[in-house]
Amino acid sequence: MIKRIDHIAIAVQGLEATVGFFADKLGLPFSHISDEPEQHAQVAFFPVGGSEVELVAPTDTTSGLAKWLEKRGEGLHHLCLEVDDLDAVLARLAAQGVQLINPTPVTNSAGRRLAFVHPKATHGVLIELYEEQKP
Amino acid sequence: MIKRIDHIAIAVQGLEATVGFFADKLGLPFSHISDEPEQHAQVAFFPVGGSEVELVAPTDTTSGLAKWLEKRGEGLHHLCLEVDDLDAVLARLAAQGVQLINPTPVTNSAGRRLAFVHPKATHGVLIELYEEQKP
Protein backbone atom coordinates (compact mmCIF):
# COMPACT_ATOMS: atom_id res chain seq x y z
CA MET A 1 0.00 0.00 0.00
CA ILE A 2 2.99 2.33 0.58
CA LYS A 3 4.55 3.05 -2.82
CA ARG A 4 7.59 5.28 -2.27
CA ILE A 5 9.13 8.18 -0.39
CA ASP A 6 7.32 11.15 -1.92
CA HIS A 7 9.46 13.74 -0.16
CA ILE A 8 11.54 14.55 2.86
CA ALA A 9 10.89 18.01 4.29
CA ILE A 10 13.49 20.18 5.99
CA ALA A 11 12.30 23.05 8.19
CA VAL A 12 14.30 26.25 7.65
CA GLN A 13 13.97 29.84 8.86
CA GLY A 14 13.91 31.28 5.33
CA LEU A 15 14.50 30.20 1.76
CA GLU A 16 17.04 32.73 0.44
CA ALA A 17 20.23 31.36 2.01
CA THR A 18 19.05 27.76 2.25
CA VAL A 19 18.05 27.35 -1.41
CA GLY A 20 21.52 28.60 -2.33
CA PHE A 21 23.17 26.06 -0.05
CA PHE A 22 21.16 23.03 -1.16
CA ALA A 23 21.27 23.93 -4.89
CA ASP A 24 24.65 25.54 -5.45
CA LYS A 25 26.84 24.03 -2.74
CA LEU A 26 25.31 20.60 -2.16
CA GLY A 27 24.21 20.22 -5.79
CA LEU A 28 20.56 19.19 -5.48
CA PRO A 29 18.56 20.05 -8.63
CA PHE A 30 16.34 23.05 -7.77
CA SER A 31 12.89 23.17 -9.34
CA HIS A 32 10.76 26.03 -8.00
CA ILE A 33 9.32 27.83 -4.96
CA SER A 34 5.64 27.61 -4.12
CA ASP A 35 3.52 29.64 -1.71
CA GLU A 36 1.42 27.42 0.56
CA PRO A 37 -0.84 29.94 2.33
CA GLU A 38 -2.94 27.24 4.01
CA GLN A 39 0.25 25.95 5.65
CA HIS A 40 1.55 29.50 6.37
CA ALA A 41 4.70 28.46 4.53
CA GLN A 42 6.82 28.78 1.42
CA VAL A 43 8.25 25.57 -0.01
CA ALA A 44 11.29 25.06 -2.27
CA PHE A 45 11.30 21.83 -4.30
CA PHE A 46 14.31 19.75 -5.30
CA PRO A 47 13.22 16.70 -7.34
CA VAL A 48 15.77 13.90 -7.20
CA GLY A 49 15.41 10.32 -8.40
CA GLY A 50 11.60 10.09 -8.28
CA SER A 51 11.33 11.73 -4.84
CA GLU A 52 11.82 15.28 -3.65
CA VAL A 53 13.72 17.15 -0.99
CA GLU A 54 11.62 20.11 0.17
CA LEU A 55 12.68 23.15 2.19
CA VAL A 56 9.76 24.50 4.20
CA ALA A 57 9.94 28.02 5.66
CA PRO A 58 7.22 29.65 7.78
CA THR A 59 5.60 32.89 6.60
CA ASP A 60 4.40 33.92 10.05
CA THR A 61 5.51 33.46 13.66
CA THR A 62 2.46 31.69 15.05
CA SER A 63 2.00 28.58 12.85
CA GLY A 64 2.88 25.10 14.02
CA LEU A 65 5.96 25.15 11.78
CA ALA A 66 7.17 28.46 13.24
CA LYS A 67 6.78 27.12 16.77
CA TRP A 68 8.53 23.85 15.83
CA LEU A 69 11.49 25.87 14.49
CA GLU A 70 11.60 28.04 17.60
CA LYS A 71 11.77 24.94 19.79
CA ARG A 72 14.00 22.61 17.75
CA GLY A 73 15.88 24.75 15.24
CA GLU A 74 16.37 23.99 11.57
CA GLY A 75 16.53 20.35 10.50
CA LEU A 76 14.64 17.32 9.22
CA HIS A 77 10.93 18.00 9.74
CA HIS A 78 8.78 15.25 8.22
CA LEU A 79 8.76 12.21 5.98
CA CYS A 80 6.10 11.92 3.28
CA LEU A 81 5.13 8.48 1.98
CA GLU A 82 2.95 7.99 -1.07
CA VAL A 83 0.07 5.54 -0.67
CA ASP A 84 -2.33 4.24 -3.27
CA ASP A 85 -5.51 4.43 -1.17
CA LEU A 86 -5.35 7.03 1.60
CA ASP A 87 -8.83 6.29 3.01
CA ALA A 88 -7.95 2.61 3.41
CA VAL A 89 -4.61 3.37 5.10
CA LEU A 90 -6.20 5.86 7.52
CA ALA A 91 -8.98 3.40 8.37
CA ARG A 92 -6.41 0.66 9.07
CA LEU A 93 -4.28 2.97 11.25
CA ALA A 94 -7.31 4.23 13.20
CA ALA A 95 -8.53 0.66 13.77
CA GLN A 96 -5.12 -0.13 15.29
CA GLY A 97 -5.31 2.86 17.63
CA VAL A 98 -2.63 4.89 15.82
CA GLN A 99 -3.05 8.58 16.67
CA LEU A 100 -3.71 10.70 13.56
CA ILE A 101 -3.37 14.46 13.21
CA ASN A 102 -5.82 14.27 10.28
CA PRO A 103 -8.30 11.42 10.81
CA THR A 104 -9.82 12.41 7.47
CA PRO A 105 -7.76 13.59 4.49
CA VAL A 106 -7.12 17.26 3.79
CA THR A 107 -6.56 18.66 0.30
CA ASN A 108 -3.50 20.79 -0.50
CA SER A 109 -3.18 23.74 -2.90
CA ALA A 110 -2.41 21.34 -5.78
CA GLY A 111 -5.65 19.41 -5.14
CA ARG A 112 -3.89 16.34 -3.73
CA ARG A 113 -5.23 14.47 -0.70
CA LEU A 114 -2.98 13.97 2.33
CA ALA A 115 -3.04 13.30 6.07
CA PHE A 116 -0.48 13.49 8.88
CA VAL A 117 0.13 10.78 11.48
CA HIS A 118 0.97 12.08 14.96
CA PRO A 119 4.66 11.73 15.92
CA LYS A 120 3.59 10.41 19.33
CA ALA A 121 2.41 7.29 17.47
CA THR A 122 5.44 6.91 15.19
CA HIS A 123 8.50 6.98 17.48
CA GLY A 124 8.93 10.73 17.02
CA VAL A 125 8.62 10.92 13.24
CA LEU A 126 6.05 13.29 11.74
CA ILE A 127 4.73 11.22 8.81
CA GLU A 128 2.67 12.64 5.96
CA LEU A 129 0.68 10.17 3.86
CA TYR A 130 0.07 11.42 0.34
CA GLU A 131 -2.33 9.83 -2.07
CA GLU A 132 -1.01 8.70 -5.41
CA GLN A 133 -2.14 10.87 -8.33
CA LYS A 134 -4.91 9.05 -10.14
CA PRO A 135 -4.56 8.97 -13.94
CA MET B 1 25.82 14.48 -9.41
CA ILE B 2 23.16 13.65 -6.79
CA LYS B 3 21.11 10.75 -8.12
CA ARG B 4 18.39 9.96 -5.59
CA ILE B 5 17.42 9.64 -1.93
CA ASP B 6 19.16 6.42 -0.92
CA HIS B 7 17.56 6.26 2.50
CA ILE B 8 16.08 8.19 5.37
CA ALA B 9 17.24 7.02 8.79
CA ILE B 10 15.13 7.12 11.94
CA ALA B 11 16.90 6.84 15.30
CA VAL B 12 15.09 4.52 17.74
CA GLN B 13 15.91 3.12 21.17
CA GLY B 14 15.49 -0.51 20.06
CA LEU B 15 14.23 -2.48 17.09
CA GLU B 16 11.69 -4.90 18.60
CA ALA B 17 8.71 -2.59 19.07
CA THR B 18 9.64 -0.20 16.29
CA VAL B 19 9.99 -2.78 13.51
CA GLY B 20 6.52 -4.02 14.47
CA PHE B 21 5.08 -0.52 14.24
CA PHE B 22 6.63 0.42 10.90
CA ALA B 23 5.98 -2.97 9.26
CA ASP B 24 2.67 -4.18 10.71
CA LYS B 25 0.86 -0.98 11.62
CA LEU B 26 2.18 1.56 9.11
CA GLY B 27 2.64 -1.03 6.37
CA LEU B 28 6.19 -0.43 5.18
CA PRO B 29 7.71 -3.53 3.52
CA PHE B 30 10.27 -4.97 5.97
CA SER B 31 13.41 -6.53 4.48
CA HIS B 32 15.94 -7.51 7.16
CA ILE B 33 18.01 -6.46 10.19
CA SER B 34 21.74 -5.98 9.94
CA ASP B 35 24.40 -5.61 12.66
CA GLU B 36 26.65 -2.63 12.04
CA PRO B 37 29.36 -3.07 14.67
CA GLU B 38 31.51 -0.23 13.32
CA GLN B 39 28.54 2.10 13.91
CA HIS B 40 27.67 0.45 17.29
CA ALA B 41 24.19 -0.04 15.87
CA GLN B 42 21.60 -2.42 14.50
CA VAL B 43 19.71 -1.33 11.41
CA ALA B 44 16.31 -2.50 10.11
CA PHE B 45 15.70 -1.96 6.39
CA PHE B 46 12.40 -1.14 4.67
CA PRO B 47 12.90 -0.82 0.90
CA VAL B 48 10.19 1.29 -0.73
CA GLY B 49 10.07 2.68 -4.27
CA GLY B 50 13.80 2.59 -5.01
CA SER B 51 14.79 4.14 -1.66
CA GLU B 52 14.79 2.79 1.89
CA VAL B 53 13.51 3.78 5.29
CA GLU B 54 15.99 2.58 7.93
CA LEU B 55 15.53 2.25 11.68
CA VAL B 56 18.84 2.68 13.49
CA ALA B 57 19.18 1.53 17.12
CA PRO B 58 22.33 1.89 19.23
CA THR B 59 23.98 -1.22 20.69
CA ASP B 60 25.83 0.66 23.43
CA THR B 61 25.30 3.78 25.53
CA THR B 62 28.39 5.75 24.51
CA SER B 63 28.22 6.03 20.72
CA GLY B 64 27.27 9.24 18.93
CA LEU B 65 23.89 7.72 18.10
CA ALA B 66 23.20 6.80 21.74
CA LYS B 67 24.07 10.33 22.84
CA TRP B 68 21.95 11.84 20.08
CA LEU B 69 18.97 9.75 21.27
CA GLU B 70 19.54 10.73 24.88
CA LYS B 71 19.50 14.41 23.92
CA ARG B 72 16.79 14.53 21.25
CA GLY B 73 14.68 11.40 21.62
CA GLU B 74 13.53 9.13 18.82
CA GLY B 75 12.92 10.67 15.40
CA LEU B 76 14.32 11.51 11.98
CA HIS B 77 18.11 11.17 12.19
CA HIS B 78 19.76 11.61 8.80
CA LEU B 79 19.15 11.87 5.07
CA CYS B 80 21.30 9.78 2.72
CA LEU B 81 21.77 10.93 -0.87
CA GLU B 82 23.37 8.75 -3.52
CA VAL B 83 26.07 10.42 -5.62
CA ASP B 84 27.89 9.08 -8.65
CA ASP B 85 31.38 10.31 -7.71
CA LEU B 86 31.89 10.77 -3.96
CA ASP B 87 35.48 12.04 -4.22
CA ALA B 88 34.41 14.78 -6.64
CA VAL B 89 31.46 15.84 -4.44
CA LEU B 90 33.62 15.94 -1.28
CA ALA B 91 36.30 17.95 -3.09
CA ARG B 92 33.69 20.45 -4.31
CA LEU B 93 32.14 20.80 -0.84
CA ALA B 94 35.54 21.24 0.84
CA ALA B 95 36.55 23.86 -1.74
CA GLN B 96 33.40 25.80 -0.82
CA GLY B 97 34.20 25.65 2.89
CA VAL B 98 31.43 23.18 3.77
CA GLN B 99 32.27 21.42 7.05
CA LEU B 100 32.56 17.64 6.60
CA ILE B 101 32.47 14.97 9.30
CA ASN B 102 34.36 12.66 6.91
CA PRO B 103 36.66 14.71 4.66
CA THR B 104 37.69 11.43 3.07
CA PRO B 105 35.26 8.54 2.43
CA VAL B 106 34.78 5.70 4.90
CA THR B 107 33.74 2.18 3.88
CA ASN B 108 30.78 0.45 5.50
CA SER B 109 30.30 -3.25 6.28
CA ALA B 110 28.87 -3.82 2.79
CA GLY B 111 32.00 -2.36 1.18
CA ARG B 112 30.28 0.82 0.01
CA ARG B 113 31.95 4.24 0.26
CA LEU B 114 30.22 7.04 2.16
CA ALA B 115 30.85 10.30 3.99
CA PHE B 116 28.83 12.52 6.32
CA VAL B 117 28.46 16.30 6.00
CA HIS B 118 28.30 18.19 9.30
CA PRO B 119 24.81 19.42 10.27
CA LYS B 120 26.34 22.80 11.20
CA ALA B 121 26.94 23.29 7.47
CA THR B 122 23.55 22.05 6.26
CA HIS B 123 20.95 23.97 8.27
CA GLY B 124 20.73 21.24 10.90
CA VAL B 125 20.42 18.20 8.62
CA LEU B 126 22.87 15.34 9.06
CA ILE B 127 23.52 14.33 5.43
CA GLU B 128 25.19 11.09 4.36
CA LEU B 129 26.60 10.93 0.84
CA TYR B 130 26.68 7.40 -0.50
CA GLU B 131 28.53 6.39 -3.65
CA GLU B 132 26.58 4.70 -6.38
CA GLN B 133 27.33 0.99 -6.75
CA LYS B 134 29.61 0.56 -9.73
CA PRO B 135 28.62 -2.26 -12.11
Side-chain angles (χ1 to χ4, degrees):
Chain A
M1 272 185 170
I2 297 180
K3 314 284 282 186
R4 64 186 182 92
I5 296 175
D6 182 83
H7 65 263
I8 180 79
I10 298 166
V12 297
Q13 294 288 359
L15 294 185
E16 296 78 8
T18 48
V19 167
F21 173 79
F22 283 91
D24 303 333
K25 290 196 172 176
L26 190 60
L28 276 172
F30 170 64
S31 165
H32 66 287
I33 289 174
S34 169
D35 285 313
E36 304 288 346
E38 82 282 2
Q39 292 181 51
H40 306 273
Q42 275 196 317
V43 183
F45 295 87
F46 299 83
V48 60
S51 299
E52 286 182 322
V53 174
E54 297 184 5
L55 304 180
V56 186
T59 51
D60 65 22
T61 57
T62 56
S63 63
L65 177 64
K67 288 174 183 164
W68 189 95
L69 273 162
E70 192 179 348
K71 185 176 172 191
R72 310 193 49 151
E74 295 182 320
L76 292 171
H77 182 262
H78 70 265
L79 169 64
C80 178
L81 301 169
E82 189 182 70
V83 301
D84 53 2
D85 184 340
L86 183 55
D87 295 317
V89 173
L90 292 178
R92 195 188 67 219
L93 291 172
Q96 294 177 116
V98 175
Q99 188 178 351
L100 303 171
I101 292 175
N102 306 114
T104 55
V106 294
T107 302
N108 72 2
S109 61
R112 299 279 299 277
R113 299 168 76 235
L114 60 93
F116 281 90
V117 186
H118 201 288
K120 282 183 185 165
T122 61
H123 297 270
V125 183
L126 179 59
I127 294 180
E128 178 182 354
L129 301 170
Y130 194 64
E131 189 165 79
E132 185 179 15
Q133 189 114 41
K134 299 295 190 275
Chain B
M1 272 187 171
I2 297 180
K3 315 282 282 187
R4 63 186 183 93
I5 295 175
D6 182 84
H7 64 263
I8 181 79
I10 298 166
V12 297
Q13 295 288 1
L15 293 186
E16 296 78 8
T18 48
V19 167
F21 173 78
F22 282 91
D24 303 333
K25 290 197 172 176
L26 190 60
L28 276 172
F30 171 65
S31 166
H32 66 286
I33 289 174
S34 170
D35 285 313
E36 304 287 346
E38 81 282 1
Q39 293 181 53
H40 306 273
Q42 276 197 316
V43 183
F45 295 87
F46 300 83
V48 58
S51 299
E52 286 181 323
V53 173
E54 297 184 5
L55 303 180
V56 187
T59 52
D60 67 20
T61 58
T62 56
S63 63
L65 177 63
K67 289 175 184 165
W68 190 94
L69 273 162
E70 192 178 349
K71 185 176 172 189
R72 309 193 48 154
E74 296 181 321
L76 291 170
H77 183 260
H78 71 265
L79 169 64
C80 178
L81 300 170
E82 188 183 71
V83 301
D84 54 1
D85 184 339
L86 183 55
D87 295 318
V89 173
L90 292 178
R92 194 189 66 219
L93 291 172
Q96 294 177 116
V98 174
Q99 187 178 351
L100 303 170
I101 292 175
N102 306 114
T104 55
V106 295
T107 301
N108 73 1
S109 61
R112 299 279 299 277
R113 287 162 21 100
L114 60 93
F116 281 90
V117 185
H118 201 290
K120 283 183 184 166
T122 61
H123 297 271
V125 183
L126 179 59
I127 294 179
E128 178 183 355
L129 300 171
Y130 194 62
E131 190 165 80
E132 185 180 15
Q133 190 113 40
K134 299 295 191 278

